[in-house]
């Protein structure tokens, strides 16, 4: 099968475009690619978030130790959950860790 | 040979994170990428997002580029596959269901009675013709653009799309026929 004839006139017709890429497309994409490939470092903000998360956990633990024992008799539904959590602390720590990493990741994406 | 050496240098510059190297690469190939993606995917916002996705993937996978084809074709192939996958997700048909008239018949029909150059000379016909191109299915529209606008060779288009050269030629002849029919249906007589 022979090659079709190329048409410069059709090329000109095709070159008429109403939409195109923005002028700063290349710069934006290059910046995005750079930020995506940059190794992740723990910044001051990340440390702050980590500290806030740890403080929140401590607050919950302190609250539980102070009031939890008095309330636990009334809140019977709460007992099995706490029992389950206490029986597998590594699972709790793992879930908390994943949540923390996701939160940090979300924050990093939101700022880039 | 020179071009190949330039491409080696260019790819190396991007891989060692030389300032502005990737930006310059994007600038040089963004038009080809836009032509491929915007013809495959009609929506301009989707097309812009997919162009961005294309170049981010180029950046991620550039270390895998083995110089087995020109960099332009490699980037074009990534753009084409991203756009095709987008269409598949949207369940849009990338190829029109034209009846198969046989390659030889197509070739002779297309050549004997449709003078594109003459048709495009008239501004009104050119506008109609542009509408006709837009009415083509995604793949033929893209092939017509790559061949007539970007002036790629059939071999380059084959590398980008993964189609055989015969299939591409067949699509181009069919597209030409479709454009002729499109104009005739709208009362435009072509020389």
């Amino acid at each position: 099968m022979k090659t079709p004839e190329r048409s410069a006139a059709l090329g000109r017709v095709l070159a008429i475009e109403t939409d195109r890429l923005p002028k700063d497309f290349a710069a934006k994409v290059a910046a995005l690619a750079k930020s995506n490939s940059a190794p992740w470092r723990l910044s001051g903000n990340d440390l702050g978030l980590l500290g806030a998360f740890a403080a929140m956990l401590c607050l919950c633990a302190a609250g539980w130790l102070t009031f939890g024992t008095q309330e636990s008799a009334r809140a019977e539904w709460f007992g099995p959950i706490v029992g389950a959590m206490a029986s597998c602390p590594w699972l709790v720590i793992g879930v908390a860790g994943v949540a923390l990493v996701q939160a940090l990741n979300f924050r990093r994406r939101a700022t880039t | 040979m020179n071009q190949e050496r330039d491409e080696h240098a260019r790819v190396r510059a991007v891989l060692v994170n030389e300032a502005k190297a990737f930006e310059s690469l994007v600038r040089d190939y963004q038009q080809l990428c836009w032509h491929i993606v915007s013809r495959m995917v009609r929506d301009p916002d989707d097309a812009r997002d997919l162009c961005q996705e294309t170049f981010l993937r180029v950046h991620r996978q550039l270390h895998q580029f083995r110089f087995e084809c020109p960099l332009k074709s490699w980037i074009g192939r990534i753009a084409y596959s991203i756009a095709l996958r987008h269409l598949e997700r949207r369940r849009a048909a990338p190829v029109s269901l034209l009846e198969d008239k046989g390659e030889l018949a197509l070739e002779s029909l297309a050549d004997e009675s449709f003078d594109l150059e003459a048709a495009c000379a008239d501004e009104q016909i050119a506008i109609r013709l542009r509408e006709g191109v837009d009415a083509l299915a995604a793949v033929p529209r893209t092939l017509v653009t790559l061949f007539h606008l970007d002036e790629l060779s059939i071999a380059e288009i084959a590398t980008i799309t993964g189609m055989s050269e015969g299939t591409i030629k067949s699509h181009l002849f069919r597209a030409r026929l479709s454009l002729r029919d499109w104009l005739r249906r709208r009362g435009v007589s072509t020389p």
Side-chain angles (χ1 to χ4, degrees), chain A residues 1-11 13-17 19-22 25-27 29-30 32-33 36-37, chain B residues 23 26 30 34-35 39 44 48 52 55-56 59 107 111 116-117 120 126 130 133 147-149 151-152 169 172-173 176:
Chain A
M1 193 178 195
K2 70 174 187 182
T3 304
E5 215 174 294
R6 205 188 300 280
S7 163
L10 183 54
V13 169
L14 288 165
I16 303 163
E17 294 196 87
D19 292 298
R20 53 185 65 241
L21 288 170
F25 175 79
V29 170
L32 198 58
N36 281 358
S37 63
Chain B
E23 187 179 329
V26 173
Q30 68 181 41
W34 172 254
H35 285 161
R39 261 53 170 198
R48 284 185 201 104
Q52 179 175 302
F55 282 108
L56 290 180
H59 190 262
E107 200 174 315
D111 279 350
L116 268 177
E117 300 297 322
C120 296
R130 179 58 210 239
V133 172
F147 186 70
H148 293 286
L149 176 60
E151 300 190 345
L152 299 187
K169 288 176 188 174
L172 290 172
F173 280 122
R176 210 177 166 100

Side-chain angles (χ1 to χ4, degrees), chain A residues 16-60:
Chain A
I16 303 163
E17 294 196 87
T18 48
D19 292 298
R20 53 185 65 241
L21 288 170
K23 280 183 181 166
D24 57 350
F25 175 79
K28 275 187 177 168
V29 170
L32 198 58
K34 195 178 171 186
S35 72
N36 281 358
S37 63
W40 187 68
R41 289 184 188 138
L42 204 62
S43 68
N45 283 344
D46 294 329
L47 277 174
L49 191 65
L50 196 67
F53 188 75
M56 188 187 75
L57 283 180
C58 290
L59 195 67
C60 290

Side-chain angles (χ1 to χ4, degrees), chain B:
Chain B
M1 191 64 192
N2 264 349
Q3 190 193 348
E4 200 175 316
R5 220 176 18 234
D6 288 350
E7 284 194 349
H8 271 87
R10 176 165 234 190
V11 168
R12 205 175 312 117
V14 174
L15 292 177
V16 299
N17 288 324
E18 211 171 90
K20 303 274 181 188
F22 186 62
E23 187 179 329
S24 147
L25 184 143
V26 173
R27 195 167 292 120
D28 285 354
Y29 296 112
Q30 68 181 41
Q31 193 165 17
L32 173 72
C33 179
W34 172 254
H35 285 161
I36 294 172
V37 174
S38 66
R39 261 53 170 198
M40 292 286 284
V41 181
R42 283 246 178 83
D43 184 73
D45 291 330
D46 283 352
R48 284 185 201 104
D49 288 347
L50 294 175
C51 281
Q52 179 175 302
E53 191 182 332
T54 298
F55 282 108
L56 290 180
R57 191 187 288 183
V58 165
H59 190 262
R60 264 201 318 273
Q61 297 185 347
L62 198 60
H63 66 282
Q64 295 172 1
F65 178 55
R66 295 284 170 259
F67 301 95
E68 286 157 353
C69 61
L71 185 60
K72 179 166 81 171
S73 304
W74 186 72
I75 293 173
R77 194 163 59 202
I78 291 177
Y80 183 80
S81 64
I82 284 178
L84 198 61
R85 215 181 47 239
H86 177 84
L87 289 182
E88 284 165 359
R89 275 201 303 264
R90 294 277 172 97
R91 296 173 194 275
V95 184
S96 65
L97 300 171
L98 286 173
E99 57 179 307
D100 189 4
K101 292 173 180 163
E103 290 182 353
L104 281 174
L106 276 171
E107 200 174 315
S108 55
L109 266 173
D111 279 350
E112 71 184 359
S113 58
F114 184 37
D115 186 350
L116 268 177
E117 300 297 322
C120 296
D122 184 302
E123 199 181 329
Q124 285 306 312
I125 299 179
I127 291 169
R128 289 282 187 197
L129 198 58
R130 179 58 210 239
E131 290 168 3
V133 172
D134 288 341
L136 290 172
V139 168
R141 190 170 54 232
T142 308
L143 297 179
V144 164
T145 304
L146 292 178
F147 186 70
H148 293 286
L149 176 60
D150 292 296
E151 300 190 345
L152 299 187
S153 67
I154 299 289
E156 284 175 312
I157 299 175
T159 307
I160 288 173
T161 59
M163 292 178 191
S164 73
E165 295 192 10
T167 307
I168 292 166
K169 288 176 188 174
S170 174
H171 271 301
L172 290 172
F173 280 122
R174 281 165 199 266
R176 210 177 166 100
L177 275 177
S178 300
L179 291 176
R180 186 193 65 184
D181 291 345
W182 171 271
L183 290 177
R184 281 191 180 157
R185 281 201 302 273
R186 273 147 193 82
V188 178
S189 60
T190 55

